[in-house]
C-alpha cells in the first residue's frame, strides 16, 4: 500500500487476508453452501468442520440440529431451528467425518453425536460430507469406530465386540445427548462394511455406531488449504 491507499482499501485487504488464514475446514464448509437454496430444510451435523459451516449458513432456510451443541450454535446465529419431529423431510444433510474411505464408507462419532447424525443423514435426500484432506484415504488404523451403548449393557456389548476380533475402549466420563455411553472400537474388519454395520447394530444394548456404510454420502467436499475438491458418489475417483 502506498500513502494513497484509503482506509476502505486496507480494510478490504485485511478482510481478504483473514479469509486466507481460515483453515481448510472453512473452505470445505463454504463449498457446501452451493447446494443450499432458499426455503430448504437443512440437517446440520456436529464437530469442528460444522463449526466453520454454521456462521456461513443462509437465514432463509430451516435447520435441524444433530446435537444439543449444534442446536445451541444455530440459535446463537439467529437461524430458524426446528425439532426433527416437526419436519416432513430434510433436503440436504451436511456433516464432517473422522475418516472417509474411497468407497464413501465413513467413520464418524469422534464427537459422540453419530446416532442422531446417522438418523438425519438417512432421512435426507442428499448427504454432503465436508472435510479437510487428512480425512480422506485408506489407512485409518488409529481412528475409532464409536459404538453408542446403553450403560446397563456395556460389558456385555464389549465382550461381543471382542468376539468380532476388535477391541474397545470405554469413553470414560462421556454421555451422549441420549444419556448413553460410548465404546470406542479399534480393529474392526471393514471388508464387508454393510454387513458389519448391521452386525454391530444387532447386539442387544447397542443404539448405533459411527460406521456409515448403509448410508453413504452423495457428495464429498475435501479441502486442502483453500482448494476444494468435489467428489460425487458416481464419479471415478
Ligand atoms: O463426531 C462426529 O461425527 C463428527 O461429525 C466428526 O465425524 C467430524 O468432526 P470434525 O469436523 O471435528 O473433524
Amino acid at each position: 500500500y502506498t500513502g494513497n491507499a484509503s482506509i476502505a482499501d486496507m480494510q478490504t485487504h485485511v478482510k481478504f487476508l483473514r479469509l486466507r488464514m481460515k483453515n481448510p475446514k472453512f473452505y470445505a464448509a463454504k463449498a457446501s453452501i452451493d447446494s443450499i437454496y432458499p426455503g430448504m430444510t437443512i440437517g446440520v451435523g456436529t464437530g469442528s468442520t460444522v463449526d466453520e459451516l454454521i456462521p456461513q449458513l443462509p437465514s432463509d432456510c430451516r435447520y435441524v440440529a444433530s446435537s444439543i451443541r449444534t442446536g445451541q450454535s444455530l440459535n446463537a446465529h439467529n437461524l430458524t431451528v426446528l425439532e426433527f419431529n416437526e419436519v416432513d423431510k430434510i433436503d440436504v444433510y451436511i456433516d464432517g467425518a473422522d475418516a472417509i474411505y474411497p468407497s464413501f464408507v465413513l467413520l464418524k462419532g469422534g464427537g459422540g453425536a453419530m446416532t442422531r447424525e446417522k438418523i438425519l443423514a438417512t432421512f435426507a435426500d442428499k448427504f454432503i460430507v465436508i472435510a479437510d484432506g487428512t480425512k480422506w484415504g485408506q489407512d485409518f488404523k488409529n481412528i475409532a469406530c464409536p459404538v453408542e451403548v446403553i450403560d446397563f449393557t456395556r460389558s456385555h456389548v464389549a465382550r461381543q465386540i471382542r468376539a468380532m476380533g476388535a477391541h474397545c475402549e470405554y469413553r470414560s466420563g462421556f454421555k451422549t445427548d441420549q444419556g448413553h455411553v460410548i465404546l470406542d472400537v479399534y480393529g474392526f474388519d471393514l471388508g464387508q462394511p454393510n454387513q458389519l454395520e448391521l452386525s454391530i447394530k444387532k447386539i442387544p444394548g447397542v443404539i448405533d455406531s459411527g460406521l456409515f456404510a448403509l448410508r453413504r454420502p452423495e457428495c464429498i467436499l475435501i479441502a486442502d488449504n483453500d482448494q476444494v475438491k468435489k467428489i460425487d458418489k458416481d464419479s471415478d475417483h
Side-chain angles (χ1 to χ4, degrees):
Y1 282 96
T2 66
N4 297 330
S6 70
I7 301 273
D9 284 343
M10 283 193 279
Q11 279 171 341
T12 307
H13 189 62
V14 167
K15 233 172 156 181
F16 173 74
L17 286 177
R18 280 214 183 110
L19 203 69
R20 292 298 304 244
M21 281 159 55
K22 300 262 188 194
N23 65 44
K25 296 177 184 188
F26 169 86
Y27 292 102
K30 187 168 185 282
S32 72
I33 302 290
D34 289 349
S35 301
I36 299 179
Y37 298 99
M40 276 186 164
T41 303
I42 307 295
V44 186
T46 300
S48 57
T49 317
V50 165
D51 289 344
E52 296 288 340
L53 171 70
I54 292 174
Q56 306 184 57
L57 289 170
S59 58
D60 54 8
C61 289
R62 310 169 335 148
Y63 297 94
V64 179
S66 62
S67 63
I68 294 170
R69 165 184 163 179
T70 291
Q72 287 169 341
S73 179
L74 291 166
N75 279 320
H77 286 83
N78 294 317
L79 295 162
T80 304
V81 183
L82 299 178
E83 292 293 325
F84 181 47
N85 285 322
E86 293 179 278
V87 303
D88 297 330
K89 66 182 297 210
I90 291 186
D91 296 296
V92 180
Y93 177 66
I94 307 173
D95 201 354
D98 298 316
I100 308 166
Y101 292 87
S103 59
F104 276 39
V105 168
L106 311 174
L107 288 178
K108 289 180 47 54
M114 66 281 183
T115 294
R116 293 191 196 188
E117 291 174 347
K118 196 183 282 186
I119 292 167
L120 295 188
T122 302
F123 198 69
D125 290 346
K126 184 172 185 182
F127 175 19
I128 300 175
V129 167
I130 51 178
D132 65 65
T134 61
K135 309 290 183 69
W136 173 268
Q138 299 274 17
D139 189 21
F140 292 113
K141 290 198 175 56
N142 297 327
I143 304 288
C145 174
V147 179
E148 181 169 351
V149 172
I150 297 172
D151 198 10
F152 175 71
T153 65
R154 77 168 189 257
S155 304
H156 299 272
V157 173
R159 255 196 298 279
Q160 300 273 325
I161 287 172
R162 277 197 294 276
M164 294 163 78
H167 75 275
C168 310
E169 283 173 16
Y170 171 55
R171 201 181 289 186
S172 170
F174 183 88
K175 283 264 159 78
T176 66
D177 285 355
Q178 290 73 243
H180 302 305
V181 299
I182 286 190
L183 299 174
D184 283 310
V185 182
Y186 297 88
F188 270 141
D189 177 358
L190 293 181
Q192 292 187 298
N194 293 14
Q195 194 49 50
L196 176 63
E197 186 176 341
L198 290 171
S199 303
I200 300 167
K201 188 138 185 186
K202 266 196 339 218
I203 302 171
V206 167
I207 305 293
D208 214 330
S209 73
L211 175 62
F212 282 53
L214 299 168
R215 180 51 170 129
R216 303 182 194 191
E218 273 75 37
C219 172
I220 294 173
L221 296 164
I222 295 276
D224 281 306
N225 300 314
D226 60 352
Q227 298 302 307
V228 181
K229 188 168 171 201
K230 178 172 185 279
I231 312 169
D232 290 312
K233 194 161 149 186
D234 299 322
S235 67
D236 280 339
H237 50 269

